[in-house]
Amino acid sequence: MAIPIPTVKTASADAIAALVAGPALGAVGLIFNRASPLGPSATAGWRMLFSLLLTGWKIRSLPPRPLWGWMGFAGLFYAADLALWYGAIMRTSLMSATLIINIYPAIVALLAWPLLGEKPTRRLTMGLVLTLCGGAVVALRPQAAGGSAFTPEDAYVGAILTFCAAFVYAGYTVVTSRVTGELSSTTATFWTNLIALPILFAIAFISGEKIQITGWAALWPVLGLAVFGGVAQLSFAYALQRLPAAFAAMGSHLSLIFTGLVGWAVYSEPITLEHLIGGGLIIGGLVWAREKRKRD
């Protein structure tokens, strides 16, 4: 039995609100991520476990059998994204990492056409081009994470990790958009996290990361991540259920504003001219694409 392609989705006030809430909560969650003494994959794994404990009591049934393969891909992509992203933001400034990862909507738009039947319009294509240009402004000059012992060379390692995370997050976005055509955002999030959980701990074990929580210093960061990261993921899944995938991906670019503020206020990471130019182009691309959607 084939999975039906979702019908045409239109923007609504609650969907737009969820699209804004996701990046805002995710940016605050980065504070807990950097405070964790565990490895990046282990931190993501514990965060995933506590998120499951917070939301799992609502789940009463398995996803339909035709969706099992898609749920597997969603969990795999999400685990890979978190492992790469958590490792990247420990080395690279929050603003630089956020700008670099913003190449993923172009990949989403390409995948959404054959998989979701969402053919990009000329205006959406122009918005994606502006977004890519904005990311390119800072992609070759990433900053090291503030308040850490990392060097500019480490920042380039973080940039590479972020670049890889963009590709797997694009896959997660498209697959989640397909899955939420038949499942609620809460159900899809729960099963995605459940599949991602053992993958993250396997990555942590193979990488030789510190995994065990031995005290409050390791416990409170993952608890904070579970709350803020979990609600951010639910908000994004809710928005994907009600918005076209490519447009929802561009809306999540608002994260560059929130992460930039967190990086500046908490870690004294400067907002440079490259950040301002790149951010301006990305926001311009979002406004350009959204205006077309309003006129359709």
Side-chain angles (χ1 to χ4, degrees):
M1 174 178 154
I3 299 176
I5 295 176
T7 56
V8 176
K9 304 173 183 178
T10 56
S12 61
D14 59 335
I16 297 298
L19 197 61
V20 174
L25 294 170
V28 176
L30 296 178
I31 299 174
F32 299 97
N33 177 272
R34 281 191 171 176
S36 175
L38 306 178
S41 299
T43 298
W46 282 109
R47 170 245 162 162
M48 199 74 67
L49 177 60
F50 286 117
S51 294
L52 287 169
L53 294 176
L54 291 173
T55 61
W57 60 274
K58 295 182 178 180
I59 307 304
R60 296 290 184 269
S61 61
L62 292 171
R65 187 177 293 273
L67 292 179
W68 286 7
W70 290 100
M71 293 304 305
F73 278 116
L76 178 62
F77 285 143
Y78 193 52
D81 168 66
L82 286 180
L84 292 166
W85 175 245
Y86 280 20
I89 60 175
M90 294 300 295
R91 298 171 172 84
T92 309
S93 73
L94 299 184
M95 179 64 89
S96 294
T98 304
L99 286 168
I100 295 170
I101 205 171
N102 276 316
I103 67 169
Y104 86 90
I107 309 169
V108 169
L110 293 175
L111 294 177
W113 189 355
L115 295 180
L116 303 180
E118 296 177 4
K119 183 178 180 180
T121 63
R122 289 184 179 180
R123 199 174 192 92
L124 178 57
T125 301
M126 180 60 69
L128 291 172
V129 171
L130 290 175
T131 298
L132 288 173
C133 289
V137 171
V138 294
L140 298 178
R141 297 185 62 186
Q143 291 181 312
S148 71
F150 291 109
T151 65
E153 288 73 21
D154 293 310
Y156 283 99
V157 175
I160 294 173
L161 293 176
T162 309
F163 182 80
C164 295
F167 278 86
V168 293
Y169 192 66
Y172 166 75
T173 300
V174 172
V175 172
T176 300
S177 183
R178 189 71 175 260
V179 167
T180 52
E182 294 191 14
L183 297 176
S184 69
S185 56
T186 302
T187 301
T189 299
F190 171 81
W191 288 109
T192 297
N193 289 355
L194 186 63
I195 294 169
L197 178 62
I199 299 175
L200 285 167
F201 279 118
I203 294 174
F205 179 78
I206 294 172
S207 302
E209 296 180 7
K210 180 181 178 181
I211 299 176
Q212 186 177 2
I213 294 179
T214 56
W216 177 247
L219 180 60
W220 74 263
V222 294
L223 287 176
L225 276 172
V227 174
F228 283 88
V231 176
Q233 186 187 9
L234 281 171
S235 297
F236 187 54
Y238 181 88
L240 279 176
Q241 195 173 30
R242 290 157 176 79
L243 297 170
F247 175 61
M250 293 194 68
S252 66
H253 285 321
L254 294 171
S255 60
L256 72 92
I257 297 176
F258 298 114
T259 53
L261 290 174
V262 169
W264 171 75
V266 180
Y267 301 106
S268 300
E269 295 175 351
I271 299 177
T272 65
L273 180 61
E274 290 89 351
H275 291 156
L276 294 175
I277 295 175
L281 289 172
I282 291 171
I283 294 175
L286 169 62
V287 173
W288 186 270
R290 182 179 175 183
E291 182 179 352
K292 176 61 179 177
R293 289 290 177 184
K294 287 181 177 178
R295 293 178 181 177
D296 285 345

